[in-house]
């Protein structure tokens, strides 16, 4: 039986085993997907297990998406551009590192929310997932990407890599068609992001990459103001689907059954 894994730290809340095992069953693939909490010092040995074919493939999550790169032989263009690897496997004699968060993000966008093309988008945060969101937005042809982060240094670093982004000072306001939270604020139910309340206009679309809890205070406030909102569940499912396609060459089904199954966790 083929073995797959997600590695990260902490990992209790990861839905990756649930979604991949669901698709294994649905597609009659004889494999099992588990999770393993690792430390930095375990990464080298973990890659060796993939090289030795003890593990067929793995997803990498926080805080290892960048740290794993030095152990990878070949990076996909997406992984290189984002400097972030979330999907690992062997191809011939090489360890391959791919990024499916970029595709996961843009595939999660639905026409009934807003059409992102030619729109102005504000991103909150400049952490590990932010480059994937920037690249995803770039691929779908948005007009302007504005990034605001509490620590200015980090957003200046991002601008060195993505010169096309604009910077907004933390706490300041700008008119945007969509506001995307990529900070970690909201992971705890009591977390409240400090934002200028004039950002919450009813014609703005609010997106949070967090999917657990289902509704962060950021989305709750936006919803109360009458704005359209979306959490990170569809991004999560789509990044998993693209990883599944990478490993098994099958694009798995994303339907109501699956979404309900994952939501009832
Ligand atoms: P890392 O920065 O190590 O990549 P991350 O979880 O990917 O970690 O990113 C955390 C993001 O959430 C950062 O943008 C962080 O802002 P800082 O760069 O200022 O730390 C943001 N963040 C975390 N706590 C925050 C808070 N209380 N208010 C605003 N932003 C916060």
């Amino acid at each position: 039986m083929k073995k797959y894994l997600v590695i990260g730290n902490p990992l209790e809340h990861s839905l990756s085993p649930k979604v991949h095992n669901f698709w294994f069953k649905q597609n009659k693939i004889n494999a099992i997907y588990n999770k393993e909490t690792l430390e930095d010092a375990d990464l080298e040995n973990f890659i060796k297990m993939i090289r030795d074919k003890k593990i067929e493939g793995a997803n990498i999550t926080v805080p290892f998406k960048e740290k794993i790169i030095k152990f990878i032989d070949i990076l996909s263009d997406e992984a290189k551009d984002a400097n972030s690897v979330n999907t690992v496997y062997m191809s011939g004699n090489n360890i391959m590192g791919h990024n499916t968060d970029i595709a996961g993000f843009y595939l999660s966008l639905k026409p009934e929310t807003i059409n992102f093309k030619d729109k102005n988008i504000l991103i909150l945060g400049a952490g590990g997932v932010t480059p994937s969101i920037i690249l995803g937005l770039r691929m779908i042809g948005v007009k302007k990407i504005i990034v605001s982060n509490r620590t200015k240094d980090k957003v200046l670093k991002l601008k060195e890599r993505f010169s096309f982004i604009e910077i907004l000072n933390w706490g300041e306001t700008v008119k945007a068609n969509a506001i995307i939270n990529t900070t970690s604020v909201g992971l705890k139910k009591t977390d409240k992001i400090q934002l200028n309340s004039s950002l919450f206009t009813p014609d703005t679309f609010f997106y949070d990459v967090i999917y657990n809890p289902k509704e962060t205070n950021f989305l709750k406030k936006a919803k109360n103001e009458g704005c359209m909102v979306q959490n990170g569940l569809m991004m999560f499912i789509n990044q998993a689907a693209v990883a599944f396609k990478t490993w098994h060459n099958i694009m798995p089904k994303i339907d109501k059954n699956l979404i309900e199954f994952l939501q009832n966790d």
Side-chain angles (χ1 to χ4, degrees):
M1 187 185 275
K2 288 183 176 171
K3 286 192 179 141
Y4 293 82
L5 261 189
V6 55
I7 63 155
N9 195 347
L11 259 189
E12 299 89 70
H13 296 301
S14 174
L15 289 179
S16 291
K18 204 167 166 178
V19 70
H20 282 277
N21 286 322
F22 180 95
W23 285 328
F24 286 156
K25 210 164 153 194
Q26 193 171 57
N27 292 284
K28 303 191 168 51
I29 294 172
N30 186 24
I32 181 129
Y33 190 114
N34 289 313
K35 60 181 168 190
E36 202 158 317
T37 307
L38 297 187
E39 303 296 333
D40 288 6
D42 302 325
L43 290 181
E44 193 166 8
N45 191 46
F46 158 73
I47 288 290
K48 189 172 180 302
M49 286 175 76
I50 298 188
R51 221 181 268 288
D52 295 344
K53 299 265 171 74
K54 289 183 181 133
I55 302 164
E56 211 67 30
N59 286 127
I60 317 296
T61 190
V62 179
F64 301 130
K65 289 184 185 188
E66 194 183 331
K67 289 175 183 161
I68 200 79
I69 289 178
K70 66 174 177 204
F71 302 109
I72 305 274
D73 299 325
I74 300 176
L75 293 175
S76 68
D77 288 345
E78 292 90 337
K80 241 183 264 169
D81 290 347
N83 197 35
S84 168
V85 164
N86 78 328
T87 303
V88 172
Y89 58 102
M90 280 292 274
S91 174
N93 291 324
N94 291 307
I95 300 269
M96 309 290 293
H98 186 31
N99 174 308
T100 71
D101 289 328
I102 302 169
F105 171 68
Y106 68 70
L107 290 171
S108 77
L109 303 174
K110 305 172 208 150
E112 60 269 30
T113 57
I114 66 161
N115 178 3
F116 274 70
K117 205 165 157 35
D118 298 323
K119 297 293 194 306
N120 296 331
I121 317 298
L122 171 63
I123 298 177
L124 304 172
V129 72
T130 312
S132 298
I133 304 295
I134 292 174
L135 290 162
L137 288 171
R138 185 80 165 164
M139 284 191 67
I140 53 176
V142 301
K143 186 162 140 206
K144 205 193 278 181
I145 301 172
I146 309 151
V147 184
S148 190
N149 191 54
R150 182 182 59 175
T151 309
K152 189 132 183 214
D153 265 8
K154 275 207 212 155
V155 82
L156 291 172
K157 282 252 159 62
L158 266 187
K159 180 137 175 106
E160 283 172 16
R161 289 171 56 203
F162 306 110
S163 59
F164 52 86
I165 63 170
E166 293 185 15
I167 297 176
L168 178 75
N169 287 328
W170 188 248
E172 287 182 7
T173 179
V174 70
K175 185 84 194 93
N177 302 100
I179 303 182
I180 303 173
N181 178 39
T182 71
T183 75
S184 49
V185 188
L187 283 172
K188 283 189 237 118
K189 269 205 168 124
T190 51
D191 280 354
K192 269 207 176 103
I193 192 160
Q194 297 302 321
L195 291 175
N196 192 312
S197 57
S198 58
L199 285 173
F200 292 84
T201 52
D203 56 345
T204 306
F205 172 56
F206 286 77
Y207 187 110
D208 202 321
V209 300
I210 295 172
Y211 61 87
N212 189 4
K214 273 182 217 158
E215 198 172 78
T216 56
N217 282 316
F218 170 74
L219 293 188
K220 231 175 242 161
K221 176 154 172 56
K223 214 165 146 188
N224 285 340
E225 300 293 331
C227 308
M228 267 186 298
V229 302
Q230 185 176 333
N231 71 14
L233 185 66
M234 290 314 292
M235 176 175 170
F236 166 77
I237 297 175
N238 278 289
Q239 67 73 30
V242 179
F244 193 91
K245 169 86 167 68
T246 306
W247 291 328
H248 312 292
N249 206 22
I250 298 168
M251 194 62 187
K253 258 204 281 192
I254 299 175
D255 55 16
K256 249 173 106 184
N257 272 347
L258 173 70
I259 295 166
E260 270 167 26
F261 172 67
L262 293 174
Q263 272 171 336
N264 291 334
D265 208 16

